[in-house]
Amino acid sequence: MPHAADNRTLKHGCIVMASGVGARFGGNKLMAELCGAPLVGHVVQATDDLFSRRVVVTRHADVAALCETLGAQVILHDEPCRNDTVRLGMEAMDGCDTVTFVQGDQPLIRPASIVVLLRAAERDAAGAARRDAAGRGVVDVSDVAGCDAVGAALADTAEGGVAEDYAMELDAVECDVDAAGCDAAESDVAGAAKYDAVGCNAAVSSVARIWRTSFDGVPGAPVLFPSWAFDELCSLPRGKGGGFVAKMHAECVRTIEVSSEWELFDVDTRDDLEQLQTHVARCGGASLPR
């Protein structure tokens, strides 16, 4: 079953970050196997059919060869720093309204969780369109209220309903959009004041917020950035990644709570890989993204 959303209004891009040298792992961790497939292979498959554009940025020839066989566009490079990896990926995102960064060493990230990020951005854009159509700068209360498992971040307006295709997959996914202190008790006008105060509104981009995954309140990756952040992503300080931009605009960040801590578990060491292998074996492979 394809996961790509029908009826989407935005052009979504994806950068799979796969340039780590694996110093703590003692080699190229991205090609280490989990259930018979390299870690980065699981990540690439989890992003299949979700994006208008997707690129894997890597300095490893074996990673590049694998990802090409999986149907992914690849940028093979020899640049030294993380900001270089981000910049190279962004250069391939021309025309995109959002870009989602996915880590190549998080093999249990679920496609359904990535879909929630995309749907949240779509909802941002829909909210901006409703405000423009109404000719007023107020925020629909559904845009600032907390949301449940199948989520206001997924729910469309009455005339939409595009989230229904994913409801069965997203029963364990929750989202938290209260980072700016905007809850259901607030009026549209109060919500609008807080929304405009962050400086990330529809006048800049139809998608106001940076959306990132989290578990138990701790934010992680993947992270979705709107177009207003693109210039900053292309000119990061040496050695910095997208997290630098997210921290600079913390008031614009909203989080999506994923179903399991293992989704955001990244492999840095061989002990990490052993933990992941033990977890997957205990679950009988059910934890692998599908």
Side-chain angles (χ1 to χ4, degrees), residues 8 12 21 33 49 66 100-101 118 130 149 172 193 197 221 234-235 249 262 280 286:
R8 65 175 49 171
H12 298 290
V21 297
E33 289 196 355
D49 301 319
L66 169 69
T100 299
F101 287 85
L118 302 183
R130 289 196 298 274
C234 290
S235 57
H249 299 282
W262 296 101
V280 171

Side-chain angles (χ1 to χ4, degrees), residues 21-213:
V21 297
R24 294 173 59 192
F25 191 84
N28 181 7
K29 62 182 178 180
L30 298 170
M31 293 298 290
E33 289 196 355
L34 178 69
C35 291
L39 299 181
V40 70
H42 290 292
V43 175
V44 169
Q45 290 179 320
T47 61
D48 278 346
D49 301 319
L50 296 183
F51 298 94
S52 299
R53 294 192 178 189
R54 178 186 61 177
V55 64
V56 179
V57 186
T58 185
R59 58 168 54 89
H60 305 289
D62 50 357
V63 170
L66 169 69
C67 293
E68 286 174 345
T69 65
L70 295 174
Q73 179 186 351
V74 174
I75 296 175
L76 182 62
H77 70 96
D78 59 359
E79 299 286 351
C81 297
R82 188 172 183 81
N83 61 292
D84 297 314
T85 302
V86 173
R87 174 179 50 78
L88 290 170
M90 290 300 301
E91 289 173 358
M93 296 292 111
D94 185 51
C96 289
D97 298 297
T98 77
V99 169
T100 299
F101 287 85
V102 182
Q103 303 301 314
D105 60 356
Q106 287 181 281
L108 298 191
I109 188 65
R110 296 173 64 220
S113 296
I114 299 173
V115 166
V116 181
L117 291 176
L118 302 183
R119 295 267 52 90
E122 293 280 341
R123 187 167 173 77
D124 256 358
R130 289 196 298 274
R131 289 189 296 279
D132 288 345
R136 57 195 179 94
V138 298
V139 175
D140 197 339
V141 69
S142 62
D143 289 335
V144 294
C147 49
D148 61 17
V150 284
L154 287 176
D156 238 2
T157 55
E159 63 272 22
V162 297
E164 293 174 2
D165 293 342
Y166 300 100
M168 295 302 293
E169 289 184 286
L170 299 172
D171 57 354
V173 180
E174 297 180 348
C175 60
D176 168 18
V177 294
D178 294 330
C182 306
D183 60 28
E186 293 181 312
S187 69
D188 283 358
V189 174
K194 292 193 176 186
Y195 184 93
D196 290 338
V198 302
C200 306
N201 58 23
V204 179
S205 168
S206 62
V207 180
R209 304 166 176 96
I210 297 169
W211 290 92
R212 67 185 307 174
T213 50

